[in-house]
């Protein structure tokens, strides 16, 4: 493999001059630059990314850890991260934790040993876990997404789940509904708790009683929504509307309703949360709360790179606001 010394010998210049031409770090005359580039082409020279990373103390690589899920939400966020990395000239190493704390710790250790410039965590099933290894790498910035209170120093990107849950229930109330149930996510998780709190706040402000038979905790997956609807249905009369705290559970609930002969939205209205891409292609198309997934991913990368440039130790919290997307799954009562 050709080196800069080989190029210098063929071009008849110093190694430092070759370095300045290759790295464009200093002005070199057009005639000499042409000789150097010609020699590099003849020798099939390829710059060493490893050597450059050691010299610059940057690998231009970001590591990201994601929890396994059938929910396309995660893939849509990763797409935003990956595109932003590409636009900024960074590579992305993606690791799957499968909801396992030991696997997450091992993946983080591997990423840090590979000298990634920063780490993005989107492993909400593991929120509340202490990650001591970051304390040994204080110069590597960490950004977390979709996570509750943190037990380690990091920046945070989140959607305003309290506001989103409030908006979902408020829309059902404005549509004339007074019997409103909720299929929550796992309430040990911060985002699930916040969406449920927003739902309760909207009902309390409207003076609407919360029927405990219409509150079912599920798991943010389709199966959970399916089972939650059936559990609610088995308790007796269904509410006129249900807030499913993500689109996957809303899809499962709609499937269970169809099997039970319950028409959506004629008999029961359903609103979801996330606005995943397939939600508009369901039957009926899903009214939902839009979470800006691409912007979440972009904000994570931008925040990480900002930390790298500024070398600031102050934690940054970026909160993106949800919006309502009205489609066909909610009936407006007269």
């Amino acid at each position: 493999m050709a080196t800069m010394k080989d190029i210098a010998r063929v071009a008849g210049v110093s190694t430092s001059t070759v370095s300045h031409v290759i790295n464009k770090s200093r002005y070199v005359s057009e005639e000499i630059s042409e000789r150097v580039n010609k020699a590099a082409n003849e020798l099939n020279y390829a710059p060493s990314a490893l050597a450059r990373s050691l010299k610059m103390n940057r690998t231009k690589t970001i590591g990201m850890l994601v929890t396994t899920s059938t929910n396309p939400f995660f893939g849509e966020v990763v797409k935003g991260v990956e595109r932003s990395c590409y636009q900024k000239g960074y590579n992305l190493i993606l690791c799957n934790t499968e909801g396992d704390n030991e696997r997450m710790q091992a993946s983080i250790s591997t990423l840090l040993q590979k000298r990634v410039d920063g780490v993005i965590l989107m492993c909400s099933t593991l929120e509340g876990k202490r990650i001591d290894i970051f304390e040994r790498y204080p110069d590597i910035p960490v950004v977390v997404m979709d996570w509750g209170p943190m037990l380690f120093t990091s920046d945070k990107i989140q959607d305003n789940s309290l506001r989103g849950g409030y908006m979902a229930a408020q829309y059902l109330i404005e549509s004339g509904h007074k019997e409103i149930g909720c299929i929550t996510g796992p309430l040990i998780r911060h985002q699930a708790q916040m969406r449920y709190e927003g739902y309760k706040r909207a009902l309390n402000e409207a003076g609407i009683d919360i029927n405990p038979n219409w509150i079912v905790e599920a798991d943010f997956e389709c199966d959970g929504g399916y089972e939650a609807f059936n559990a609610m249905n088995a308790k007796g009369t269904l509410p006129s509307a249900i807030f499913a705290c993500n689109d996957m559970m809303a899809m499962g609930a709609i499937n269970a309703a169809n099997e039970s002969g319950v028409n959506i939205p004629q008999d029961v209205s359903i609103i979801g949360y996330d606005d995943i891409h397939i939600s508009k292609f369901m039957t009926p198309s899903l009214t939902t709360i839009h979470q800006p997934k691409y912007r979440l991913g972009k904000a994570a990368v931008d925040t990480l790179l900002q930390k790298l440039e500024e070398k600031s130790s102050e934690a940054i919290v970026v909160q993106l606001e949800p919006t309502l997307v009205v489609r066909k799954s909610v009936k407006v009562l007269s």
Side-chain angles (χ1 to χ4, degrees):
M1 183 179 291
T3 66
M4 286 191 181
K5 286 184 179 180
D6 297 326
I7 297 172
R9 175 176 49 78
V10 173
V13 298
S14 68
T15 303
S16 62
T17 298
V18 174
S19 176
H20 292 316
V21 173
I22 297 296
N23 296 315
K24 299 179 181 179
S25 54
R26 185 182 297 176
Y27 172 76
V28 179
S29 71
E30 186 175 335
E31 185 261 331
I32 292 178
S33 295
E34 189 174 323
R35 278 163 48 195
V36 169
N37 288 325
K38 182 180 178 182
N41 289 332
E42 290 174 354
L43 295 170
N44 292 320
Y45 171 76
S48 169
L50 177 60
R52 182 175 297 177
S53 69
L54 291 172
K55 183 176 180 180
M56 304 290 292
N57 200 28
R58 290 275 185 91
T59 61
K60 302 288 283 185
T61 302
I62 290 173
M64 182 175 186
L65 286 89
V66 184
T67 301
T68 296
S69 174
T70 58
N71 191 345
F73 167 81
F74 293 97
E76 292 177 29
V77 173
V78 170
K79 181 178 179 181
V81 171
E82 192 171 33
R83 185 179 298 173
S84 296
C85 284
Y86 172 76
Q87 292 171 345
K88 301 287 185 179
Y90 276 74
N91 296 309
L92 180 68
I93 299 177
L94 187 63
C95 299
N96 175 13
T97 68
E98 295 192 354
D100 184 293
N101 187 44
E102 287 187 11
R103 182 163 178 174
M104 180 178 71
Q105 300 275 0
S107 295
I108 291 172
S109 179
T110 298
L111 290 173
L112 296 178
Q113 289 170 21
K114 288 183 178 295
R115 299 171 59 88
V116 294
D117 295 333
V119 176
I120 298 173
L121 294 176
M122 193 168 65
C123 312
S124 54
T125 55
L126 300 171
E127 71 176 50
K129 302 287 185 181
R130 179 173 293 280
I131 307 177
D132 296 330
I133 193 170
F134 287 135
E135 297 174 5
R136 303 204 300 269
Y137 296 84
D139 295 332
I140 295 184
V142 180
V143 171
V144 299
M145 307 169 68
D146 193 30
W147 198 301
M150 287 158 300
L151 304 178
F152 52 92
T153 302
S154 68
D155 302 321
K156 186 173 184 179
I157 312 296
Q158 63 186 19
D159 87 305
N160 190 341
S161 287
L162 179 67
R163 171 73 178 155
Y166 180 89
M167 290 172 62
Q170 183 68 23
Y171 177 70
L172 295 176
I173 294 167
E174 290 174 351
S175 298
H177 295 277
K178 293 186 167 95
E179 300 174 345
I180 303 172
C182 183
I183 299 175
T184 77
L187 294 177
I188 59 170
R189 288 168 58 179
H190 180 72
Q191 302 292 35
Q193 183 67 47
M194 289 300 98
R195 291 174 194 179
Y196 181 46
E197 290 297 325
Y199 155 86
K200 290 194 293 184
R201 179 178 296 182
L203 266 63
N204 287 333
E205 287 183 4
I208 297 174
D209 292 334
I210 297 174
N211 187 333
N213 289 335
W214 296 337
I215 308 298
V216 182
E217 183 176 356
D219 61 0
F220 276 149
E221 301 291 344
C222 285
D223 287 343
Y226 178 91
E227 292 167 4
F229 182 90
N230 286 334
M232 196 182 296
N233 195 16
K235 292 178 181 178
T237 305
L238 287 167
S240 68
I242 297 172
F243 168 37
C245 288
N246 80 343
D247 290 350
M248 295 292 280
M249 294 191 299
M251 290 169 61
I254 289 173
N255 189 22
N258 288 335
E259 288 184 0
S260 301
V262 176
N263 292 319
I264 307 295
Q266 290 84 357
D267 300 327
V268 176
S269 294
I270 292 183
I271 186 170
Y273 198 111
D274 282 342
D275 191 26
I276 57 177
H277 181 67
I278 60 174
S279 62
K280 62 184 175 183
F281 299 109
M282 295 166 54
T283 303
S285 58
L286 186 63
T287 294
T288 185
I289 300 298
H290 174 78
Q291 193 171 177
K293 296 165 288 298
Y294 174 76
R295 286 173 51 213
L296 281 169
K298 182 178 185 302
V301 175
D302 289 346
T303 301
L304 206 58
L305 299 187
Q306 180 183 339
K307 265 299 175 59
L308 284 169
E309 296 301 324
E310 296 179 358
K311 300 292 183 182
S312 170
S313 60
E314 183 179 350
I316 299 172
V317 177
V318 178
Q319 182 161 274
L320 303 179
E321 296 299 321
T323 53
L324 174 68
V325 179
V326 177
R327 295 195 181 104
K328 301 289 182 62
S329 63
V330 174
K331 179 180 179 181
V332 177
L333 304 179
S334 56

